[in-house]
Structures are given as structure tokens and as C-alpha cells.
Amino acid sequence: MSWAVEEWKEGLSARVLQKIHELESQVGKLKKERQQRQFQLESLEAALEKQKQKVENERKEATTLKRENQSLMELCDSLEKAKQKISHDLQVKESQVNIQSGQLSSSRKDIERLEQELKR
């Protein structure tokens, strides 16, 4: 079959045949270069898709972390309010204890005074 392909070259001068050979060689090189560039393009496209997927995953993770952060901030606020309420309640109870302690001390003095009067 290759002889049929080469048949059109019969009768051409050596210089023209040399030029045809050079052109065919150049075509072969260009085909190889095209294949390499096509492979590079496909590799770059695959890498780009991988990066896009990575960015999308990171975007989703960032959104999830923002939601989690917001939830934790709300929880902290809630805990801070509860702490303040408990602290206030504690102060009120300490104040009540101090008042009752004063009343107890006063009652003891009254008892001692009354006991002294009874002894007389």
C-alpha cells in the first residue's frame, strides 16, 4: 500500500523529493508536538478541575466553620448570661446570710443579757 502512496512522487527531482521529505518530517514533528500539547492541555484541565473541587470543598468547610463559630459564640453568650445571673444570685444569698448572721449575733446578745438579768 505504501508504494501507492509514494507513486505520486515518481519523476520528481532529487531536490523536490528532499523538500517533500523535509516537509513530511516536519509534519511528523508537528503531529508529535500537537499530541504533547494536547496531553499537557488535558493534564492542566484535570489539575484545574481538581483545584476547583478543592476550592469548593474549602468554601463548604469555611461555611460550616462559620456556622459552628456562630453557634459557639451564641453558646458563650448564653453561658455568660447564666454566669452573671448565678453571680447575682450568690451575692443576694451572701447578703441574706450576712443579715441573718447579724440577727443571730444580736439575738445571742439579747439572750445573754436576758440570762444576766435572770441571774440577778
Side-chain angles (χ1 to χ4, degrees):
M1 253 329 215
S2 67
W3 62 269
V5 173
E6 298 293 323
E7 192 173 294
W8 68 273
K9 295 180 186 177
E10 286 180 17
L12 297 175
S13 70
R15 187 175 151 202
V16 170
L17 288 173
Q18 177 64 29
K19 186 66 176 173
I20 290 171
H21 178 69
E22 288 173 7
L23 291 172
E24 287 174 339
S25 176
Q26 189 176 10
V27 166
K29 288 177 186 177
L30 290 172
K31 283 182 181 180
K32 284 182 184 179
E33 185 179 332
R34 183 187 161 280
Q35 287 175 340
Q36 287 175 344
R37 290 192 183 199
Q38 183 65 34
F39 177 75
Q40 286 175 338
L41 176 63
E42 290 169 1
S43 297
L44 289 172
E45 286 174 341
L48 176 62
E49 283 304 312
K50 189 175 180 181
Q51 284 296 331
K52 283 181 180 179
Q53 186 64 42
K54 186 177 178 182
V55 166
E56 183 61 28
N57 290 342
E58 288 176 359
R59 195 173 287 140
K60 287 178 183 177
E61 184 178 352
T63 301
T64 300
L65 290 173
K66 283 179 184 176
R67 278 193 217 118
E68 185 178 336
N69 189 40
Q70 181 65 32
S71 175
L72 289 172
M73 288 175 65
E74 290 169 3
L75 179 60
C76 284
D77 288 345
S78 174
L79 290 172
E80 181 62 28
K81 287 177 184 174
K83 177 188 167 203
Q84 289 175 357
K85 182 183 182 308
I86 289 170
S87 179
H88 179 263
D89 291 348
L90 178 61
Q91 287 175 347
V92 168
K93 290 185 193 253
E94 285 176 341
S95 177
Q96 290 173 344
V97 166
N98 288 335
I99 290 169
Q100 291 176 350
S101 180
Q103 289 173 345
L104 178 60
S105 178
S106 177
S107 294
R108 282 185 180 154
K109 287 180 183 177
D110 288 344
I111 290 172
E112 285 177 16
R113 186 181 47 79
L114 290 171
E115 285 177 343
Q116 290 296 327
E117 284 182 19
L118 273 175
K119 287 181 183 178
R120 288 183 199 163

